[in-house]
Amino acid sequence: MADDRPARVISCPGAVELLDELMTGPRRFSELHTTFPRRVLVPALRALAAEGALLCPQAGSWDSCPRGDALIDLTDTGRQLAVELSDLDVWVAVYDRYLNG
């Protein structure tokens, strides 16, 4: 595994599920909020944005919540990350690194 992005994303509750949701297409913040509780959604958005995985032209800073009508989509990096995380070998490698340092 070339980088630690998958491990950082896996360690954030809801981030993998959010990636999976966004793989089907862009979603408005209000739509995501109906699927994910705010206490899960906001940190997951921030974690994915920090990895360069999200695109939201209306977001400005991820320190505050986007407006309800803000459209959130995956970048190419986000799509690549979702594909990597769909590979069982990546999960095994991340888990092994977690256990064995």
Side-chain angles (χ1 to χ4, degrees), residues 27-100:
R27 296 283 187 274
R28 301 218 178 275
F29 179 80
S30 58
E31 292 175 90
L32 293 172
H33 191 253
T34 63
T35 305
F36 299 90
R38 185 182 181 102
R39 65 178 166 38
V40 172
L41 178 59
V42 173
L45 286 170
R46 286 184 186 145
L48 291 173
E51 299 300 334
L54 295 182
L55 175 65
C56 182
Q58 301 149 324
S61 168
W62 290 98
D63 290 335
S64 60
C65 290
R67 295 187 330 240
D69 65 342
L71 194 61
I72 300 169
D73 198 3
L74 293 176
T75 62
D76 289 340
T77 299
R79 285 184 194 78
Q80 178 185 3
L81 188 56
V83 168
E84 287 176 25
L85 288 172
S86 69
D87 184 359
L88 180 60
D89 291 336
V90 171
W91 284 87
V92 170
V94 168
Y95 187 70
D96 185 52
R97 287 176 80 181
Y98 174 76
L99 288 178
N100 300 317

